[in-house]
Amino acid sequence: MKRIFLSWNINGLRAVEKKGFKNWLLETSPDIIGLQETKAWPEQLSEDLKNIDGYYAYFSKPQKKGYSGVGVYTKEKPLSVNDSLGNEEFDAEGRLLCLEYPEFYFITVYFPNGGRGEHRVDYKLRFYAAFLEMCQKLSKRKYVITCGDVNTAHKEIDLEHPKENQNTTGFMPCERAWLDKFFSEGLVDTFRMFNSQGKQYTWWDYKTAARSRNVGWRLDYFMVDEKASKLIKNAYILSDVTGSDHAPVGIDIDI
C-alpha cells in the first residue's frame, strides 16, 4: 500500500498555526508527518493543533520552553511512542520521537545545531553517534524510516556556496563525515535515490532573503534502512510550501 510520509522543520508550531498549518495538513493529507523545532510544550498548544480530524498527535517536551521539540501527526495509531535516545543529556532537549507500527519504526529527529561553539559541535557529533546506534538496533527488528532536520549538508551539491562554508558548522568535515558514516553503515539518503542534480535545497536564511534567490542548503532528510529503501517509490522537496525557513520533504513508500 502506497503511503505518503512528510517531514518539516516548521520553526515554531504556534507560529505556523497562524499561517494555515492545519488546513495545509488536511489538504495535503500525508499518512504521517514528522515535525521539528516545534518550540512548545504540548500544554502550550491549542486544542485545534492537538485534535486535528483524522490524526493522532504526539509531541516531545523539552526541558526548556520555546526551544527545540518535535512532533508527529499520524493517521494510524502507533503500537508505542518513545521519546528517548537513552541518554538524559540528549533527551532533555526533546529532539526525538520514535513511533512503532506493526511493520516499521518511524523516527522524527531535530538534530543539534553546532553554531554555539565547539562544545555544541561535540554535542552534535555525539548525538549523531547515539542516533545511528539506535537505528542499527531497531533495523534488526523492523523497517526503520527516519526523517528530520539533520543540520548538515552532506556534499558540495547540497549547498549553494560550498567553498565559502568549509569551516562553517553545518558543512565542516567532521560533521559531513558522520553523514558518510550514516550512509555506509546501514542508512540510505532517499532523496539521492531519485535526484542527482544540484540547486535543490530545504533551508534558506531569512535574514538575507535567500529563498527568493534560491541560495540555500539541503539540511532535511528522509533516511531509511537498506531494507526499507527497496520500498521507496519517490522522494522529493515541497519547495513551494512556505511558512518556515525550511521546506517540507517527503517520500512515497509502498509499505
Side-chain angles (χ1 to χ4, degrees), residues 120-136:
R120 287 301 289 185
V121 174
D122 176 68
Y123 180 90
K124 177 180 182 177
L125 301 183
R126 289 187 290 109
F127 190 102
Y128 279 167
F131 165 77
L132 180 58
E133 182 181 0
M134 178 184 193
C135 290
Q136 290 171 331

Side-chain angles (χ1 to χ4, degrees), residues 60 70 82-85 94-98 107-109 131 134:
S60 68
V70 294
N82 171 43
D83 64 357
S84 175
L85 263 174
R95 293 183 174 273
L96 176 142
L97 283 175
C98 176
I107 308 172
T108 185
V109 193
F131 165 77
M134 178 184 193

Side-chain angles (χ1 to χ4, degrees), residues 100-117:
E100 180 184 5
Y101 296 89
E103 296 175 313
F104 63 93
Y105 294 97
F106 181 92
I107 308 172
T108 185
V109 193
Y110 177 42
F111 292 85
N113 186 310
R116 298 203 304 272

Side-chain angles (χ1 to χ4, degrees), residues 13-14 38-51 57-67 69-71 73 83 94 97:
L13 184 51
R14 289 171 292 176
T38 53
K39 295 183 177 180
W41 288 358
E43 53 264 40
Q44 294 177 289
L45 301 175
S46 70
E47 290 304 311
D48 268 357
L49 282 176
K50 290 188 285 188
N51 298 288
Y58 302 93
F59 304 98
S60 68
K61 187 173 181 177
Q63 286 185 0
K64 183 178 177 181
K65 279 187 175 180
Y67 175 74
V70 294
Y73 290 96
D83 64 357
L97 283 175

